[in-house]
Amino acid sequence: MKTKSLVLSVLLSLLAVSVTAQDLQEVLKNYEFRNVGPLRGGRVTAVAGVASQPSVFYMGATGGGVWKTVNYGNTWENVSDGYFPTPSIGAISVYQKNPDIVYVGTGSDGLRSNVITGKGVYKSNNAGKSWEFIGLKESGQIGAVEIHPDNPDVVYVAAIGKAFGRNEERGVFKTTDGGKTWSKMFYLSDSVGFSDLELAPDDPNTIYAGAWRGERKPWTIISGSSVGGVYKSTDGGQTWSKKTNGLPTKLIGKIDFAVSAADPNRVYANIEASDDQGGLYRSDDRGETWTFVSDNSNLTNRPFYYTNIESNPKNADVVYNNSLRFLKSEDGGKSWRNISTPHGDNHDIWINPNDTSIWIQSNDGGANVTLDNGRSWSSQFNQPTAELYQVEIDDQYPYWLYAGQQDNYSTIAVPSKPVASVQAGSNAFILSTGGCETGPAVPKPGNPNIVYTNCKGRFGVYDKSTGQELQYYVGATNIYGHNPKDLKFRFQRVAPVHVSPHNPDVVYHTSQYVHKTMDDGKTWEIISPDLTAFEPDKQVVPGSPITRDVTGEEYYSTIYAIRESTLQEGLIWVGANDGPVHVTRDGGKSWTNVTPDMPTGGRVDAVEPSPHDPAKAYVSVLRYQLDNDYHPYIYKTEDYGQSWELLTTGSNGIPDDYPTRVIREDPKKEGVLYAGTEFGLFISFDDGKNWQQFNNNLPVTPVTDIKIKDDDLVLSTMGRGFWIMDNIVSLREIGSVRNQQAYLFDIQDGVRDRMSARSDDNGPEYPRMGVTIDYYIKDKDQPVKLDILDDEGNIVRTFVNGRPEPARNTERDMSTEFSAPPAAGGLPNSQGLNRYNWNMRHAGGWSDNPRRSYMGFGPMVSTGVFKARLTVGDKVLEEDFKVVLDPRMTLVTEADVAEQERMALEIQSFSDEVSKLISTMEKELEALKNSLDTEKASRRDERKKEQLEAIYYQLVTPPGTYMQPMLSDQTRYLSSMIGRADQRPGQDAYERFEELKAKFEQIKEAFESLK
């Protein structure tokens, strides 16, 4: 914390009244996050297109909302932000006769353990520009939305229901008034919903629906029942009959249909079923009788996750299947061949009925468009929808962010700022760092080239300098396919890795035990007993009653979170994914069960030892996977877990249906808490008594992890990548400024890092180099002035609200090389928080245009101590800060950049003289031109004009192609040469400057002689 000025110290002593919740929300809204990538697609389970506009498509991500492209997938724009309360999309349907009308069902139908719940159906009447909620809020996951081809007010919805328990609002729903009202047309039970429905192309009253019992538990996936199956209605959903002729006879799971307009009598059904009856079925009589046409294992691979088929609108024999691989059949489903897509794990396809070579297809890597039947595809490196499990940060400058990205083959790292100029754009910054999609990836403190990684329980040590990953799996056993009760070590596919904050060689890794290594994984020590609940009835082979699915995702009794206190070595907190919380105060020699008095079985998603008090800790528990318990659970202890306080009552700021994933306490301000929920970020300034929503420009998506790096707030999300809020210094104090007319916050040091990178559409947003100055103003429309002073009190720059000040006495003090430049305009003076970025430069040079004079970019200041002096009305506030060298700098010293600044200012002063002389000459030339235009023009004036032009064009480059640059351009060239990087000017720069000055004196003498 820097030393404050006396006036600001007095202000601080007067801060007594806290901000009201409403006032605080107004202040908080002025903070902004920036996205830092990766610009790389995540899972997409719903796509649609517009037949009459073949370049227009929509995609629905599982955690990233709805996106639209109007150029065949070259660029994408989010169209759901600000309208949808959930980022999970299940189905998209466009009314083709008027494509302005679009319906979206939320809640993905791919029931992974991390599936995000839906919150109903939305409608747009302007092609996605705006949306309105039209009902079915409690329907959970939506498998299909179908619009009547001749009446956009008639819409059918297949509601799977809530993913993690029973609910009544599931079945087939219908609206006849565009969503104002809904009727439940078909309902089987509170545990059986509908995964798909299709309307017959020639008769929209004929409907095929697939009933599905699909439900997630933390320890298994339930898919299938005797009630499930194929149902048909011929009267617009009024009555239904179950079809069984030729179909599976016992248990039926997830179903998806395809009907081609080329032959409406033919219906395909891809069916998960028991007793080896799963596969593709075909009916050629509108669903009355069926034939089993293929048992290709890929058709029903992981059916809860895939199961999607589509037929060609112009050829009913051509069928496509989306699953682990993307398959095509050209003989009515009898035989299949692979078609390569940009990413595996395929989910959906929409084919343009007017030109069936144009499709949009989706998979775990995003959405991709083809114009040639799948021979080539649009890029997925233009969709910022990455699903990230966590965020870890290294200690280099600039720091990098690390995580496991769901559906990616490797963990990834991206920079917080652009580290270099790359021709390929921001995607060139995405690094693979070992492990795999589940992560984490944890850089070693002191050596960011070493990354500790995990891949579904497999520990690795990745060396970024070589690209090799050393493998040191605890137990060295493939965990797939087991009953968890038989495993020696139960590793969840997201198995934590944590480096001790006290010793970078101590690394923890968790199964049901805490494992510790001090030699980068070569040897492991178990330092705990089983710290999970390990209930016998939860130790089962996942996947029932039809399809096994044993990938470690459902191993229930494992340690899911671990952190060691930064204050006390050996004080370690752990939480299990089946509920228990334990703590050790002696490095693992003894452990105490300190589980809060809470509903059992929840996943302890985060443990957070307080960085201020060793006895204090927080835990965040996620329970929505248990009977749809969406309540938030954050607990705090101040006595090492002997007692706990619930910080989320449902009425103190975090809504009662916002499950909590992560909790962190600010390391520099005790009691400032950040909570990541299923639907965004919250902040508390009073240690959890009250919470404020803190999404601002952050899209609605699960916040999976939070870290505070120095003074930056860093987030990972399950669907929109990484986000950073830069410089939260003012945020820590914002709750105390309500009764002040103005307040100037501490100022971070400015770093001369000269970083820049071009922006991509939806790509990483990188901050400008500069000094960020935050200040609070109670009343709007106050006059505001900001002076930047050096350590001797000289004004370097001045800024005011409104328009720039006119130029005044700007004569340069030759002893200090400073002048008194006029104030630049544009300083914000909004009510509440204001943020201004000074680019660490002096004022620009003189111009004969008063509006541009001294307003441009001048030389960069050298290092040293500076002062910000803020004047708001009659209040004057001051705060010191530093400008420092880039910490990576090895070739340049502070003395070098001081000399660079001195010379650059001298060149700018010289350039001003040149510009002023040019202006004087131009005025005389104009006067001579006017004189020569009269009838009484003299030969003397003509000679004078010729002589003046000859002198003028020694200063100014003559017009023409590749003309020789003259003195003014040569001066700019020299200024650019010495200012492009941090450096001491070279000897040639000094010699050239002397030449330019000598030449200028000659020109001035020649000009004076003309007078």
Side-chain angles (χ1 to χ4, degrees), residues 741 777-784 829-832 834 872:
Q741 291 298 320
I777 302 175
K778 182 180 179 182
D779 300 319
K780 63 180 179 180
D781 300 328
Q782 292 284 304
V784 181
N829 66 337
S830 301
Q831 186 175 16
N834 293 267
V872 181

Side-chain angles (χ1 to χ4, degrees), residues 2 123 404 468 548 555 589 661 695 803 838 841 936:
K2 305 178 187 71
K123 179 183 179 181
Q468 295 193 55
R548 285 170 59 100
Y555 290 166
K589 295 182 178 66
R661 286 179 174 262
N695 285 339
R803 297 179 64 85
W838 173 50
R841 290 184 177 274
K936 297 180 180 180

Side-chain angles (χ1 to χ4, degrees), residues 285-303:
D285 56 6
R286 304 176 81 88
E288 297 303 316
T289 61
W290 296 82
T291 303
F292 189 37
V293 292
S294 179
D295 62 356
N296 186 306
S297 61
N298 196 65
L299 296 173
T300 53
N301 180 272
R302 303 196 81 193

